[in-house]
Amino acid sequence: IRDEHGDWSSDVCSSDLWVRNDGASCWITSTESHLADNTNRRVTFDVSASTSNTYYTFSYSSGDYKMFFPGSYSQHLVICTLEYTTSGTPTVTATLRKTSTVIETNISTSADGRKVMTIHAIMSGTSSEYPTLYIYNATGGASITLQKCKITMIPLGETPP
């Protein structure tokens, strides 16, 4: 960092930096079928991982893992990647939500046999809120089988002044 005279500052150390590698993830270990029936279905995650010094907490109830926002950071990058197979042309809508509130949406009408979608957003939340993914498969298209799905949160630091 340079001061107003263009000289390098000597009083900045690594503890002054905002971001640390304190992310956490949840993912599925078995496939999930999603019929083409106009129904929003929440993906249930059954495995989790985090760094040893993570700020995130987890709920491990009955194979439905959730990562909760911590109070120590106000901004988080939330990334969800899903991979599905199909034998037709589905209209798949993936919705990233904060608990039940829609934050970001991605729609695919691809006829590929194997499809990968990524959806991401910068989110904030309280310690009782968590990011989650819903899948909606429109009537008239093909059913899908969710093969892989992972949701990751990475702390971004405080909101800039």
Side-chain angles (χ1 to χ4, degrees), residues 37-129:
D37 63 357
N38 288 345
T39 301
N40 273 305
R41 290 185 175 84
R42 188 171 59 83
V43 175
T44 54
F45 298 97
D46 57 353
V47 176
S48 68
S50 63
T51 59
S52 60
N53 56 346
T54 188
Y55 292 98
Y56 300 102
T57 57
F58 293 87
S59 165
Y60 300 107
S61 63
S62 65
D64 186 13
Y65 290 16
K66 298 176 182 77
M67 296 177 293
F68 292 93
F69 290 101
S72 54
Y73 286 107
S74 65
Q75 299 290 311
H76 309 269
L77 176 60
V78 180
I79 305 166
C80 187
T81 302
L82 58 120
E83 179 180 335
Y84 63 85
T85 55
T86 183
S87 60
T89 306
T91 300
V92 177
T93 303
T95 306
L96 185 59
R97 299 181 184 201
K98 179 172 61 177
T99 311
S100 60
T101 304
V102 174
I103 303 297
E104 189 66 45
T105 300
N106 190 353
I107 300 172
S108 173
T109 56
S110 175
D112 297 345
R114 192 168 198 87
K115 180 68 178 171
V116 176
M117 296 173 70
T118 300
I119 185 169
H120 61 279
I122 295 176
M123 299 170 68
S124 60
T126 67
S127 61
S128 65
E129 295 175 309

Side-chain angles (χ1 to χ4, degrees), residues 1 8-13 16:
I1 298 175
W8 288 101
S9 174
S10 61
D11 60 350
V12 175
C13 65
D16 295 326

Side-chain angles (χ1 to χ4, degrees), residues 19-42:
V19 178
R20 293 172 39 178
N21 183 15
D22 295 332
S25 297
C26 287
W27 61 93
I28 64 171
T29 57
S30 59
T31 62
E32 288 186 11
S33 295
H34 292 267
L35 301 174
D37 63 357
N38 288 345
T39 301
N40 273 305
R41 290 185 175 84
R42 188 171 59 83

Side-chain angles (χ1 to χ4, degrees), residues 1-9:
I1 298 175
R2 293 181 186 241
D3 63 19
E4 66 273 7
H5 305 290
D7 296 328
W8 288 101
S9 174

